Amino acid sequence: MPLEMNLCWNEIKKKSHSLRARLEAFSDHSSKLQIPLQEIIDWLGQKDEELSAQLPLRGDVLLVQQEKERHAAFMEEVKSRGPYIYSVLESAQAFLTQHPFEEVEDSNSDSKDVSPRHRIQNISRFVWKQATVASELWEKLTARCVDQHRHIERTLEQLLEIKGTMEELSTTLNQAESVRETWEPIGDLFIDSLPEHIQATKLFKEELSPMKDAVKLVNDLAHQLAISDVHLSMENSRALEQINTRWKQLQVSINDRLKHLQDAHRDFGPGSQHFLSTSVQVPWERAISPNKVPYYINHQAQTTCWDHPKMTELYQTLADLNNIKFSAYRTAMKLRRVQKALRLDLVTLPTALEVFSEHELQPSDHVMDVVEVIHCLTALYERLEEERGILVNVPLCVDMTLNWLLNVFDSGRSGKMRALSFKTGIACLCGTEVKEKFQYLFSQVANASGLCDQRHLGVLLHEAIQVPRQLGEVAAFGGSNVEPSVRSCFRFGNGKPAIEAIQFLEWANLEPQSMVWLAVLHRVTIAEQVKHQTKCSVCRQCPIKGFRYRSLKQFNVDICQTCFLTGRASKGNKLHYPIMEYYTMTTSSENMRDFATTLKNKFRSKQYFSKHPQRGYLPVQSVLEADFIETPASSPMLPHADTHSRIEHFASRLAEMESQNSSFYNDSLSPDDSLDEDQYLLRHSSPITDREPVSSQQPQDSTNTDDKGELERILAHLEDENRVLQGELKRLKWQHEEAAESAEGTPESAQDPHNEELLAEARILRQHKSRLETRMQILEDHNKQLESQLQRLRELLLQPGTDSKGDGSTASSLASSPHPSEESQTREKGPGTPNTETADEVEGKDHTPWPS
């Protein structure tokens, strides 16, 4: 037993020594691992702090290059330490393989009576933790080193690009600024060189367009560096700011110069209207609307108007011609004043055609703006100065001609007119034979084969009729409806759908009603320079200047144009017998022919001349019908926007009413006495109706008594008609009120879908209401005309008998006029307006018996 005890004790001692030896060996091995691992952990933490201290990078190439070198040395140091770290980590891995440990840590690991086994596991666990931390720190450090290296490389690359770009920009800016310094002040430049400077500035701006991209690039790079927490150095930031500032200033200077050059070219260049500002004097100022249409400001009266001050004065002088009783001559006389004021009488048609060709106005449907019109007119008057060698006030002539063209073809002031309108206006007033004018006008609407259809002829006549329309005389020439004139012309075409120039000229040679004013203008122009060596039988003027009117009923009776056109007469000279108009000096053969004609007429009665009228023009039956031919407005017009449109509108409606009431004139007046002043030129190849003139010294009491009786009968008839019209007007007003009440109730019933019949009836009522309103307006207008006639006739009845002296029988002239009220309204307009529209017929001037 004791022996066994000894053996056991010895065995325990051996095991105890063995365990102690193993523990000592384990402790030595673990201590050899723990110390290097801790050193590695400390070293890696230190290097990580050093790496963090390298950031942020500074935005300078030199500093970043230095930082790159330092980082390269840092990476070499870390790299050289790598093998040692890997060997320690491998030893730790081998140790942990030999001495594994349980993952769950014992809670009693800190107690003093820890078993050796638990102590070994605790040591193994501690070594594992150190190895894990060291491995993570190593991986993190190496990754950060690589990222830092890439960041430094990228930053250095961007900084180098920024530096190079800024150097290029600085050089380019220096060159651009040197070019800018060579710019001359705009005020020192010649007007003709403005387009060249504008083009050079545009090219210079285009050449600098790459600089814009470069400036954007350098700013984008700086922004990217700022996002990466790399801020440019003070020097680089200042350089970048200077580049941005210089670039903006250069852009502003280029844009400002280009704008100023363009403004100068617009205001002072060939396409400007600046030179026209001299056409007006203080206190007037010429201004331009947004659509380039000029208008005029009176600073003294603080008013604005579309018409040039000189044009306004011209229109006022035209009112002096309103005493001319014959509308064609009245229109021609007014156009002659306009023609001379615009100096267009000095312009020949070939000269105008050359200017039209130079400005490419051949397509007549081309729409011209105000600037194009000014260019053409300026070239036209400059060519006139060169050819005639005379001094022409070009700005004034251009401005007034532009004003007249706008009044005629663009009264709405849209700033646009067709090329056909422009050419028609210039051709009508230029100083050329009337036949050449008609030939040219026809060529503008004819096709390539020289033929013209009804539509294009209607367009031409519509453009031409705008000329007398602007003067308020369109009603005397058939109105604005050119359909009757087109039909009249195409009668010469033998039923063909198109006519030739020779057929148009044959029709125009007969002086058709719609174009007779153009032929009269030609004769007025010729007659101005003519002096007839004879005495006027009325005013005793000698010699007679202008037109000479010779009586073909009485021997040695001649009348000057002033007395004849204004209706003045003397004792014994009846203004109803045939007369002959001369606008050139008479020849002996013409004198003999007139003598023979006068001798024949001595044995002819008044009834003979009434039964054998010879019209001096080609009459056109102008009825109030729809205009089936397309006659588009020459330029956009506002409905009833001007006085001329309203006058024409009322004159047409009045003519319609009078055609319905024509029985009054036919029943009350004799065939000869019912003729108006214009027809008094139309009958008997320009004779005058049968009225006994009253001498300015010896008035005839019997004639005045007869005239008064006639006027009393007319006055009574007009008063009866006025009462009838008043009753009709009241009845229409009553019907209008009923229709309005019926129309007001329709919206409530419209909500019911079953009331379709009521809706249809409401629509009919509305239409009936519209017709009633139109009829009421016509009756009211006609009533005003009748009241004006009544007032005038009352005044004539109250006048003494001597009022009819000097210029013929006023009472008889009124009795023979179908529209005395309109004439009285014309006189009441005063000298302030040239609009003298009357509803009289156009006078005839076919000069078959009048030599031309």
Side-chain angles (χ1 to χ4, degrees):
M1 189 69 178
L3 182 60
E4 291 178 358
M5 293 278 296
N6 290 332
L7 290 174
C8 288
W9 178 250
N10 291 332
E11 189 68 26
I12 290 171
K13 282 184 177 181
K14 288 180 181 179
K15 289 182 179 179
S16 176
H17 288 300
S18 175
L19 286 172
R20 186 179 289 109
R22 287 175 60 191
L23 284 172
E24 291 176 356
F26 180 79
S27 298
D28 293 340
H29 194 191
S30 63
S31 62
K32 290 180 180 179
L33 288 174
Q34 290 176 3
I35 294 172
L37 286 172
Q38 187 62 41
E39 291 177 353
I40 290 172
I41 291 172
D42 295 339
W43 184 83
L44 289 174
Q46 180 183 357
K47 293 303 176 183
D48 187 71
E49 291 177 358
E50 292 180 5
L51 188 60
S52 298
Q54 296 178 6
L55 297 178
L57 298 177
R58 286 172 288 181
D60 185 79
V61 174
L62 181 59
L63 296 176
V64 174
Q65 287 178 344
Q66 294 175 358
E67 192 63 37
K68 180 182 178 182
E69 294 175 358
R70 286 196 296 269
H71 185 69
F74 178 82
M75 289 186 66
E76 284 295 330
E77 182 181 358
V78 173
K79 186 178 180 181
S80 63
R81 188 80 172 183
Y84 170 72
I85 294 174
Y86 284 121
S87 65
V88 172
L89 291 177
E90 289 175 358
S91 300
Q93 185 65 32
F95 173 78
L96 293 174
T97 304
Q98 294 176 1
H99 305 285
F101 60 93
E102 296 179 1
E103 293 184 3
V104 180
E105 187 176 357
D106 191 357
S107 59
N108 299 324
S109 58
D110 294 336
S111 62
K112 296 181 179 179
D113 52 352
V114 176
S115 64
R117 182 172 175 272
H118 286 165
R119 186 187 298 175
I120 292 174
Q121 288 188 353
N122 291 337
I123 293 174
S124 298
R125 187 178 292 109
F126 183 74
V127 170
W128 172 78
K129 288 181 178 180
Q130 285 184 316
T132 301
V133 171
S135 177
E136 291 177 354
L137 289 175
W138 172 252
E139 291 178 358
K140 179 181 177 182
L141 180 63
T142 54
R144 285 191 63 192
C145 287
V146 173
D147 291 341
Q148 185 93 342
H149 176 71
R150 291 175 181 173
H151 176 56
I152 293 174
E153 289 287 345
R154 184 171 56 253
T155 301
L156 182 60
E157 181 181 351
Q158 291 176 342
L159 287 173
L160 288 174
E161 187 174 2
I162 289 175
K163 181 180 180 181
T165 306
M166 286 197 301
E167 290 176 354
E168 293 178 0
L169 285 173
S170 180
T171 303
T172 308
L173 284 171
N174 290 334
Q175 295 175 353
E177 288 168 351
S178 63
V179 173
R180 183 180 61 184
E181 295 298 328
T182 61
W183 288 347
E184 299 180 34
I186 297 178
D188 297 341
L189 300 178
F190 291 103
I191 295 178
D192 296 339
S193 66
L194 289 176
E196 299 177 2
H197 286 278
I198 291 175
Q199 188 64 25
T201 306
K202 290 181 177 178
L203 291 175
F204 180 63
K205 185 176 181 179
E206 292 177 1
E207 291 175 358
L208 295 180
S209 58
M211 185 183 296
K212 180 179 179 181
D213 298 333
V215 173
K216 184 178 183 301
L217 174 62
V218 73
N219 284 285
D220 290 344
L221 290 174
H223 180 65
Q224 293 175 7
L225 288 176
I227 294 175
S228 302
D229 199 22
V230 178
H231 300 283
L232 294 179
S233 63
M234 187 65 68
E235 182 181 355
N236 288 338
S237 298
R238 190 180 297 110
L240 180 58
E241 184 178 358
Q242 289 178 353
I243 287 176
N244 287 327
T245 303
R246 293 168 63 189
W247 167 244
K248 290 179 181 179
Q249 291 176 350
L250 183 62
Q251 279 185 311
V252 170
S253 60
I254 293 174
N255 292 333
D256 288 347
R257 180 170 179 82
L258 185 60
K259 180 180 181 299
H260 293 156
L261 286 171
Q262 290 173 342
D263 290 345
H265 185 259
R266 182 196 63 218
D267 297 336
F268 303 98
S272 70
Q273 303 184 36
H274 179 75
F275 74 102
L276 297 177
S277 60
T278 59
S279 67
V280 294
Q281 304 296 328
V282 178
W284 288 93
E285 177 188 355
R286 187 182 190 274
I288 304 174
S289 62
N291 59 354
K292 305 299 182 182
V293 175
Y295 64 96
Y296 305 90
I297 305 173
N298 187 333
H299 292 287
Q300 183 176 354
Q302 296 183 351
T303 57
T304 60
C305 60
W306 288 117
D307 284 331
H308 192 283
K310 295 292 184 181
M311 185 63 71
T312 303
E313 295 177 4
L314 176 62
Y315 284 158
Q316 291 174 351
T317 62
L318 295 184
D320 300 338
L321 302 174
N322 291 342
N323 59 349
I324 297 177
K325 295 182 177 297
F326 314 109
S327 56
Y329 283 81
R330 183 170 62 244
T331 303
M333 293 289 187
K334 291 180 179 180
L335 287 178
R336 179 58 178 168
R337 285 195 182 181
V338 173
Q339 182 187 42
K340 294 172 74 174
L342 304 182
R343 306 297 294 273
L344 288 176
D345 58 321
L346 304 176
V347 177
T348 61
L349 187 58
T351 301
L353 295 184
E354 291 179 5
V355 175
F356 296 162
S357 178
E358 291 174 1
H359 290 80
E360 300 179 354
L361 298 183
Q362 298 308 321
S364 295
D365 55 350
H366 169 67
V367 178
M368 304 174 64
D369 57 18
V370 173
V371 175
E372 290 182 81
V373 174
I374 292 175
H375 286 175
C376 292
L377 293 177
T378 303
L380 184 66
Y381 284 108
E382 289 177 350
R383 188 72 57 85
L384 174 63
E385 276 189 321
E386 295 175 3
E387 293 181 353
R388 294 294 185 97
I390 58 177
L391 184 62
V392 177
N393 189 343
V394 176
L396 179 60
C397 292
V398 169
D399 214 12
M400 290 190 64
T401 306
L402 172 65
N403 194 170
W404 178 75
L405 289 171
L406 291 174
N407 287 343
V408 174
F409 301 108
D410 185 21
S411 60
R413 291 305 194 269
S414 66
K416 303 287 184 181
M417 73 174 63
R418 291 169 46 176
L420 179 60
S421 305
F422 174 76
K423 291 186 286 188
T424 301
I426 299 300
C428 287
L429 293 193
C430 69
T432 303
E433 293 287 337
V434 66
K435 183 178 180 181
E436 295 181 22
K437 294 181 180 180
F438 279 121
Q439 286 177 336
Y440 170 71
L441 292 176
F442 182 84
S443 68
Q444 295 306 298
V445 292
N447 57 22
S449 303
L451 300 176
C452 177
D453 57 14
Q454 291 191 17
R455 174 181 174 275
H456 287 88
L457 181 61
V459 171
L460 174 61
L461 295 179
H462 181 269
E463 298 292 350
I465 204 66
Q466 303 305 312
V467 177
R469 178 180 180 273
Q470 192 270 331
L471 295 174
E473 303 284 355
V474 68
F477 306 104
S480 294
N481 182 18
V482 298
E483 167 72 12
S485 297
V486 174
R487 290 199 303 266
S488 172
C489 181
F490 267 76
R491 293 193 184 100
F492 292 81
N494 300 323
K496 296 181 180 179
I499 60 173
E500 299 177 354
I502 187 172
Q503 296 166 336
F504 174 76
L505 292 176
E506 182 181 359
W507 173 75
N509 189 50
L510 297 178
E511 298 184 5
Q513 181 178 355
S514 57
M515 297 297 294
V516 66
W517 53 271
L518 189 58
V520 176
L521 173 63
H522 173 66
R523 292 197 294 275
V524 168
T525 304
I526 297 177
E528 282 183 351
Q529 308 298 327
V530 177
K531 292 183 179 180
H532 305 274
Q533 298 301 322
T534 186
K535 182 188 296 183
C536 175
S537 300
V538 178
C539 66
R540 305 302 178 183
Q541 175 188 355
C542 183
I544 293 177
K545 298 180 181 179
F547 288 108
R548 171 188 178 186
Y549 296 92
R550 171 183 285 173
S551 173
L552 298 181
K553 177 69 175 177
Q554 297 172 315
F555 293 108
N556 298 324
V557 174
D558 295 281
I559 305 175
C560 67
Q561 69 175 25
T562 302
C563 296
F564 178 79
L565 295 179
T566 57
R568 296 177 62 190
S570 62
K571 180 180 179 180
N573 299 328
K574 298 182 179 181
L575 297 180
H576 60 272
Y577 289 127
I579 60 172
M580 182 68 68
E581 177 189 85
Y582 288 100
Y583 57 96
T584 58
M585 296 292 293
T586 57
T587 61
S588 58
S589 61
E590 291 170 348
N591 293 331
M592 291 299 298
R593 181 196 63 190
D594 291 347
F595 176 80
T597 304
T598 304
L599 190 61
K600 291 179 182 179
N601 290 336
K602 279 287 186 179
F603 302 98
R604 291 172 178 170
S605 64
K606 170 184 174 181
Q607 287 73 19
Y608 172 83
F609 298 120
S610 301
K611 293 178 181 179
H612 298 82
Q614 298 179 6
R615 290 191 178 271
Y617 76 122
L618 178 62
V620 175
Q621 185 178 3
S622 179
V623 296
L624 293 174
E625 56 183 287
D627 191 356
F628 296 104
I629 291 185
E630 181 183 356
T631 55
S634 306
S635 54
M637 296 283 292
L638 299 176
H640 306 294
D642 56 294
T643 306
H644 315 304
S645 298
R646 291 194 293 272
I647 294 176
E648 178 185 351
H649 179 65
F650 290 128
S652 300
R653 291 197 297 177
L654 183 61
E656 182 181 10
M657 292 300 300
E658 287 170 346
S659 66
Q660 298 173 0
N661 298 279
S662 58
S663 59
F664 159 66
Y665 301 109
N666 295 331
D667 297 340
S668 302
L669 304 178
S670 64
D672 288 328
D673 290 339
S674 64
L675 297 175
D676 65 357
E677 287 89 344
D678 284 332
Q679 290 174 329
Y680 133 77
L681 257 182
L682 305 181
R683 297 290 296 271
H684 311 299
S685 209
S686 310
I688 304 177
T689 50
D690 189 8
R691 288 199 300 270
E692 181 69 23
V694 182
S695 172
S696 56
Q697 289 84 14
Q698 299 176 353
Q700 297 183 359
D701 297 336
S702 60
T703 304
N704 292 337
T705 303
D706 296 339
D707 290 341
K708 271 195 173 182
E710 182 70 21
L711 284 176
E712 288 175 353
R713 288 193 297 272
I714 294 174
L715 183 60
H717 188 94
L718 288 176
E719 288 176 346
D720 293 339
E721 185 177 0
N722 190 21
R723 283 192 294 271
V724 173
L725 284 176
Q726 290 287 356
E728 178 69 11
L729 186 60
K730 291 180 180 178
R731 185 181 64 82
L732 286 176
K733 286 183 177 179
W734 177 76
Q735 292 181 0
H736 171 66
E737 292 174 357
E738 283 191 344
E741 292 175 357
S742 301
E744 288 175 356
T746 56
E748 296 178 359
S749 62
Q751 298 176 359
D752 188 356
H754 303 288
N755 290 340
E756 295 182 359
E757 295 181 359
L758 292 176
L759 290 175
E761 184 178 356
R763 283 193 292 270
I764 294 173
L765 287 173
R766 290 192 187 97
Q767 295 175 359
H768 183 60
K769 174 186 174 183
S770 178
R771 289 194 296 270
L772 289 176
E773 290 176 347
T774 304
R775 188 176 178 187
M776 285 174 58
Q777 183 63 37
I778 294 176
L779 287 174
E780 288 178 355
D781 295 339
H782 188 59
N783 190 35
K784 292 177 182 178
Q785 298 289 341
L786 290 175
E787 290 177 353
S788 177
Q789 292 181 19
L790 288 171
Q791 180 63 27
R792 181 61 180 164
L793 289 173
R794 289 191 185 98
E795 294 176 358
L796 291 174
L797 286 173
L798 297 176
Q799 290 177 359
T802 57
D803 289 349
S804 59
K805 295 179 181 181
D807 57 350
S809 176
T810 307
S812 61
S813 67
L814 278 168
S816 65
S817 174
H819 306 294
S821 63
E822 290 190 4
E823 291 185 9
S824 63
Q825 288 178 356
T826 299
R827 297 186 185 98
E828 291 169 1
K829 287 183 180 179
T833 172
N835 304 330
T836 59
E837 174 129 2
T838 62
D840 53 354
E841 296 284 328
V842 67
E843 66 278 19
K845 298 152 298 301
D846 179 12
H847 302 280
T848 43
W850 300 356
S852 58

